[in-house]
Amino acid sequence: MRQTKKNVVEVSYAVAEAVKQCEPDVMAIYPITPQTHISEKLSQMAADGEVSAEKINVESEQSAISACIGAQAMGLRAYTATSSQGLALMHEILFIVSGMRLPIVMTVVNRSLSAPLSIWNDQQDSFSQRDTGWIQLYVENGQEAYDTQIQAFRIAQETNLPVMVCMDGFMLSHVYEPVEYLAQGHVNGFVPRYKPGYALNPDKPVTMGTLGTPHYYVQFRKQLQDALLASKKTIMDVNSGFRSSFGRGYGDGLIEEICMKATPPMKKGTSRKHALITIGSVTGTARDVACKEGLGIIRVRSLRPFPEEELRKACSGLDSVGVLEKDISLGANGSLFDEVKAALYSLRDGPVVSSFIAGIGGRDITMDDIRDVCTKIKAGREVREWVM
Amino acid sequence: MKERLNPGAVADSPGSSKQNKTGSWRSFRPIVTDKCVGCGLCVQYCPEACIEIKDVKGKKTAVINYDFCKGCLICLGECPQKAIKSEREKK
Amino acid sequence: MAKEMIEIRIHGRGGQGSVTAASLLAIAAGHDGKYSQGFPAFGVERRGAPVRAFARISDEPITIRSQIYNPDYVMIMDPTLCELPEIISGIKPETVIVINSKEGGRKFRNKTYLYDATTLALELLGRDIVNTAILGVFAKATGLVSLKGILEAIDREFPQKLAEKNKELVSRAYRETGS
């Protein structure tokens, strides 16, 4: 269906709009490049009375997330956003949020980490927080950033788990592109009022995140792990619910398979032998190249919970796959590569898995770069390379 | 008994720590003597918050709740009047 | 992707509004019912430094996100940039160039449109911010976006007083350009 007018907006503003429509009660945000346009827009909205949330100006990201803990523990809906060093500064608190099962929603506008100082995009910042017990969803484009922001509030409160919506800094956050907004009534219908299981209330005192002696701590950790694994279903259900309500969905919610089925000039009935595994906005550029090169694309949308079974299923029967990612676990490999490889290890006749580290520190990933990666994947030999 | 684990490690029974009667841990028993002037310093120092200043026969004096007093004797060390003595607990 | 996708590269100096030009172009194309994308070459913004911005316009959804290396159109906001090698980097024989310049100094082999947006901007705005005027020239010369689309984009993005002046700028540049 062709619209006559498209709502072309900066993606950061679309995200701010989605947050506004989800009606948070408290927004505690410390501005940092490239998250600033979200933070500025929400401040403007709060000042203009467009959003009723209390906007707390904090002195650091550690304070921002801590203020969110206080708010969410009171039974309110809390939101924050950050990037890079800001996310790193939140690190110790992130465990507390998930351990206390507070469904805080945070937008991470991905940026590399210092040193050397860089404001540009890669995904080292959120990848390095993947063990903190937060759900992490990575989006490909502006529309998905907007839609996922709305889904995140619902996923969070249905699972009592915090959610990070990760979007590439600049590559997405500062791009003007068409984003279709939902009507406020539809958002309200999709994200019901938050009803906390427990809330701080002087009339009915509780202690949250109490002391966990070894006997108890392990049980709570297992409980948290089980909740994260179970959240897969919630993420999938919310994705399919969104699709049936509004006509937009993203794969099965956890991964998206792109041109994995044979298309001309391939023979009908034959299937792809090679695939590129991607995460985030680079998938867009890959769409234009990989399919033409005869490869399918498997995009990881949910890094946590990790779609282990889904990836095994998607990759079974393939000869080779290559993981293209914007992060590096220094001293090891790209983290997505390591996790994909581990997931596929026990697959009978599983594919060769190659690693391509690309787009680090904002290095542009060109169509030629991806073509080159595709050629190497098709060669079927395992390689581990940096695209630079 | 199946243990109840509230997600988020939430303790939702206020005052339930009172069920843990730490008085059973005591091997020395602090005893408040007549020298007590009721200054209340021991109240501040008691880690179990089990000392109260009460009016006993017209005189303010420290009263220890032995259900919770674990016998640490911090009160004895802190008392400026040396008004608290200790005895070996007879079990 | 079919080659209906048009790629535009904008060269300017920090403060001339190149990034805004890219976003206005994207918004205007959206008004015209097309798919579009506008983004800066993300850098450390400094007034006077050479900056680049990009726009894509297509009848189909745009998924590519890399920078633009082989533009179909190049807009040059400041004639002093014409000597930089990056201006002609990757241009094709059919690439059309729009320059803010009276007579164009450097001669390009490509089809080139010249317009003295600086004089007009100084007259109407009192400042050398030429982005909107150049968009007027671009719209007329290429027919890729409508004048109406650009005017609507300006209305949406600028405060009212500034919008009025800029709309006049665009309209005059549009009128004075031969298509």
Side-chain angles (χ1 to χ4, degrees):
Chain A
M1 196 174 65
R2 190 71 51 90
Q3 288 174 283
T4 48
K5 268 190 189 180
K6 292 185 176 61
N7 179 39
V8 175
V9 289
E10 196 190 72
V11 173
S12 288
Y13 287 3
V15 168
E17 179 69 19
V19 171
K20 179 193 98 176
Q21 290 184 305
C22 291
E23 299 176 346
D25 300 296
V26 168
M27 307 185 296
I29 309 176
Y30 190 81
I32 180 170
T33 302
Q35 156 265 41
T36 25
H37 289 188
I38 295 175
S39 159
E40 286 166 7
K41 189 70 175 174
L42 287 170
S43 295
Q44 180 78 53
M45 287 168 168
D48 292 347
E50 287 176 37
V51 52
S52 61
E54 170 114 17
K55 171 83 167 45
I56 306 178
N57 293 323
V58 281
E59 73 275 56
S60 75
E61 288 84 358
Q62 215 227 22
S63 299
I65 190 68
S66 299
C68 285
I69 288 185
Q72 196 84 38
M74 288 291 293
L76 303 174
R77 188 176 278 165
Y79 170 81
T80 190
T82 193
S83 297
S84 181
Q85 311 298 127
L87 184 62
L89 188 59
M90 287 182 182
H91 177 69
E92 62 159 316
I93 314 294
L94 298 181
F95 286 97
I96 299 173
V97 175
S98 60
M100 285 169 66
R101 303 294 297 275
L102 296 172
I104 294 168
V105 171
M106 164 156 65
T107 310
V108 177
V109 185
N110 289 114
R111 163 185 151 183
S112 56
L113 286 156
S114 192
L117 177 63
S118 165
I119 57 163
W120 290 273
N121 164 245
D122 63 35
Q123 295 174 346
Q124 293 183 77
D125 54 355
S126 55
F127 262 75
S128 64
Q129 305 302 334
R130 68 194 185 283
D131 294 346
T132 56
W134 284 58
I135 291 173
Q136 287 195 337
L137 303 175
Y138 289 75
V139 303
E140 180 187 335
N141 55 44
Q143 187 67 61
E144 190 185 356
Y146 171 86
D147 292 346
T148 304
Q149 196 64 58
I150 292 168
Q151 293 177 13
F153 281 99
R154 178 152 151 201
I155 293 166
Q157 65 189 39
E158 279 188 14
T159 56
N160 282 313
L161 290 168
V163 180
M164 282 183 210
V165 178
C166 305
M167 57 187 269
D168 285 314
F170 295 117
M171 307 275 175
L172 265 189
S173 63
H174 285 51
V175 177
Y176 275 72
E177 63 182 54
V179 179
E180 201 180 314
Y181 290 167
L182 299 180
Q184 183 62 49
H186 287 152
V187 177
N188 290 346
F190 196 77
V191 186
R193 277 319 301 167
Y194 171 51
K195 291 201 195 80
Y198 292 97
L200 295 181
N201 174 358
D203 296 334
K204 197 175 172 295
V206 296
T207 302
M208 293 181 174
T210 182
L211 179 74
T213 54
H215 176 75
Y216 289 106
Y217 183 93
V218 60
Q219 296 182 70
F220 280 114
R221 264 303 183 259
K222 178 69 166 51
Q223 196 182 53
L224 180 56
Q225 163 73 350
D226 290 344
L228 268 150
L229 295 180
S231 72
K232 276 184 177 186
K233 188 174 180 314
T234 312
I235 295 166
M236 289 195 278
D237 289 349
V238 168
N239 181 59
S240 60
F242 197 92
R243 182 183 275 130
S244 58
S245 298
F246 311 120
R248 290 193 298 267
Y250 303 95
D252 67 1
L254 303 171
I255 63 168
E256 183 182 4
E257 296 182 53
I258 302 156
C259 61
M260 291 294 284
K261 301 252 165 59
T263 46
M266 290 177 70
K267 245 190 267 159
K268 222 179 157 186
T270 59
S271 47
R272 304 260 173 187
K273 292 262 194 291
H274 315 280
L276 182 65
I277 297 178
T278 61
I279 184 162
S281 69
V282 70
T283 312
T285 308
R287 275 174 195 267
D288 275 2
V289 184
C291 302
K292 270 187 219 140
E293 295 287 319
L295 282 80
I297 301 173
I298 301 163
R299 173 169 75 97
V300 175
R301 182 168 184 255
S302 169
L303 184 65
R304 287 291 181 277
F306 188 68
E308 193 173 342
E309 275 313 306
E310 290 73 15
L311 281 167
R312 286 164 60 86
K313 217 172 137 213
C315 292
S316 86
L318 293 177
D319 289 343
S320 65
V321 298
V323 180
L324 182 68
E325 63 190 304
K326 294 180 181 177
D327 81 286
I328 172 71
S329 174
L330 295 164
N333 298 294
S335 299
L336 186 58
F337 164 75
D338 273 346
E339 295 188 358
V340 165
K341 203 166 165 157
L344 303 184
Y345 178 70
S346 58
L347 205 61
R348 185 187 286 266
D349 295 324
V352 168
V353 187
S354 290
S355 167
F356 300 93
I357 309 290
I360 297 293
R363 184 71 78 98
D364 198 28
I365 302 174
T366 66
M367 293 173 87
D368 284 343
D369 290 336
I370 293 176
R371 220 167 273 132
D372 193 37
V373 163
C374 289
T375 306
K376 284 171 178 157
I377 295 171
K378 281 194 285 188
R381 259 181 314 110
E382 179 181 331
V383 292
R384 296 185 192 183
E385 288 186 2
W386 286 54
V387 178
M388 57 194 284
Chain B
M1 190 184 86
K2 180 111 170 67
E3 286 166 324
R4 190 164 60 95
L5 293 171
N6 294 323
V10 173
D12 60 356
S13 323
S16 58
S17 64
K18 281 187 188 161
Q19 290 161 19
N20 186 9
K21 295 218 168 149
T22 46
S24 66
W25 301 0
R26 195 172 56 238
S27 48
F28 284 88
R29 170 184 287 250
I31 294 165
V32 181
T33 66
D34 289 349
K35 284 197 268 181
C36 175
V37 295
C39 72
L41 200 66
C42 53
V43 174
Q44 308 291 322
Y45 277 98
C46 176
E48 290 295 321
C50 68
I51 310 180
E52 276 183 280
I53 302 299
K54 286 186 176 166
D55 203 326
V56 180
K57 293 176 195 157
K59 187 190 169 209
K60 281 192 184 306
T61 189
V63 176
I64 297 170
N65 181 341
Y66 291 105
D67 278 353
F68 296 102
C69 169
K70 61 190 181 188
C72 68
L73 302 184
I74 286 172
C75 53
L76 185 148
E78 294 298 334
C79 177
Q81 302 296 325
K82 308 265 178 259
I84 303 176
K85 60 175 188 175
S86 73
E87 274 179 6
R88 250 183 122 137
E89 193 65 55
K90 294 184 261 312
K91 289 262 161 99
Chain C
M1 175 168 292
K3 198 51 222 170
E4 294 91 59
M5 188 172 72
I6 301 295
E7 296 191 311
I8 301 144
R9 194 168 69 199
I10 302 171
H11 297 269
R13 294 195 177 277
Q16 289 181 317
S18 307
V19 176
T20 306
S23 47
L24 289 174
L25 204 51
I27 297 167
H31 274 288
D32 293 345
K34 290 184 177 159
Y35 290 93
S36 61
Q37 188 186 61
F39 60 103
F42 320 110
V44 186
E45 288 80 5
R46 290 156 301 169
R47 185 165 289 268
V51 296
R52 288 173 303 149
F54 310 98
R56 291 189 171 95
I57 300 174
S58 173
D59 291 327
E60 302 297 323
I62 298 165
T63 64
I64 181 172
R65 294 196 175 274
S66 63
Q67 296 182 2
I68 290 170
Y69 297 95
N70 305 111
D72 300 295
Y73 296 86
V74 171
M75 271 189 249
I76 303 171
M77 298 286 179
D78 192 312
T80 62
L81 291 167
C82 287
E83 299 307 320
L84 295 182
E86 66 189 59
I87 297 283
I88 54 161
S89 160
I91 64 169
K92 303 174 280 192
E94 64 273 23
T95 301
V96 175
I97 305 175
V98 176
I99 313 175
N100 167 26
S101 170
K102 227 177 262 179
E103 42 302 287
R106 177 170 177 178
K107 292 279 171 272
F108 294 96
R109 263 171 292 180
N110 296 60
K111 185 165 188 186
T112 305
Y113 289 88
L114 300 176
Y115 184 81
D116 181 12
T118 302
T119 302
L120 189 65
L122 287 174
E123 182 193 326
L124 292 179
L125 291 177
R127 296 176 68 186
D128 179 25
I129 301 179
V130 297
N131 55 355
T132 49
I134 287 292
L135 283 182
V137 178
F138 181 82
K140 183 72 165 287
T142 66
L144 279 174
V145 286
S146 69
L147 176 64
K148 189 162 167 283
I150 292 176
L151 297 179
E152 284 192 41
I154 289 171
D155 265 333
R156 204 192 83 182
E157 292 293 289
F158 290 17
Q160 200 197 348
K161 238 173 115 181
L162 201 58
E164 292 310 321
K165 282 185 186 172
N166 276 284
K167 286 196 296 189
E168 196 185 337
L169 257 174
V170 174
S171 304
R172 263 191 55 191
Y174 187 89
R175 265 202 316 277
E176 292 170 8
T177 302
S179 54

